[in-house]
Amino acid sequence: MLAAVLAFVSCFISAANALSRYLFDASSNAWLEIQWQMFAGIFLLGAAWVLKLNEHVRVDIIYGSLSPRSRAKVDIFGFLFFFFPFCLVMLDMTIPWFLRSFWSGEGSANAGGLPVWPVKGLLPIGFGLLVLQGVSELIKRVAVLRGTGEVELSYERPLQ
């Protein structure tokens, strides 16, 4: 929900900034920076939700033709050997990076820019949410293999 609100507000700010720039020849770095910061929020806070909906990007060389049980096995392998290691490395890198930025009160290098530390804080939050959703998805896949649960693993190949 927050990502959807950020998308709407970002579009509004972008349009208002363009109108202000062309009609009144007035703009500020803060208005430009808030747009990319909101985009970061949309992307980082929305990634876990996209994973929950099974709408994430995947390489469809073989996956689309597999049985649901085989898809669950592929997903488990991917979570254990790629997804979780990547997310954990990103958490290990972004938490100290954010904390240094927060403690120093880091701001934009541009005149009239915004503080940078809040958007840097979105990185560990986003990857933390992704890990939590990944654990949920892993549990669901294991339940499919055990025969104690059902997960919608259907995959529709995009039109190309």
Side-chain angles (χ1 to χ4, degrees):
M1 176 66 178
L2 181 58
V5 170
L6 287 174
F8 176 76
V9 173
S10 181
C11 289
F12 179 77
I13 288 173
S14 179
N17 190 35
L19 285 173
S20 169
R21 193 170 53 246
Y22 291 115
L23 294 177
F24 307 112
D25 198 27
S27 184
S28 78
N29 286 330
W31 288 112
L32 297 172
E33 289 181 6
I34 194 68
Q35 291 174 59
W36 71 258
Q37 290 186 3
M38 286 183 167
F39 178 76
I42 293 165
F43 180 79
L44 291 165
L45 299 175
W49 183 253
V50 171
L51 180 60
K52 179 187 185 315
L53 297 177
N54 198 31
E55 295 290 330
H56 54 286
V57 176
R58 62 169 52 95
V59 179
D60 181 35
I61 296 172
I62 301 171
Y63 193 87
S65 62
L66 296 176
S67 70
R69 188 169 172 79
S70 295
R71 288 180 188 176
K73 289 178 184 177
V74 168
D75 287 346
I76 290 170
F77 177 82
F79 279 121
L80 293 177
F81 291 99
F82 296 105
F83 180 83
F84 289 123
F86 175 75
C87 287
L88 294 175
V89 165
M90 290 305 293
L91 282 169
D92 183 54
M93 293 174 64
T94 60
I95 290 171
W97 189 58
F98 160 68
L99 290 174
R100 279 192 303 275
S101 180
F102 175 73
W103 288 328
S104 70
E106 182 180 6
S108 172
N110 299 315
L114 298 173
V116 176
W117 63 265
V119 74
K120 285 186 174 183
L122 290 174
L123 282 159
I125 291 170
F127 280 104
L129 291 172
L130 215 55
V131 167
L132 292 174
Q133 186 60 46
V135 169
S136 172
E137 297 301 319
L138 181 64
I139 291 168
K140 293 175 193 174
R141 295 335 186 263
V142 170
V144 166
L145 291 183
R146 293 177 137 193
T148 59
E150 287 186 29
V151 177
E152 180 58 42
L153 295 177
S154 65
Y155 174 67
E156 181 178 330
R157 184 176 178 187
L159 297 175
Q160 298 176 348

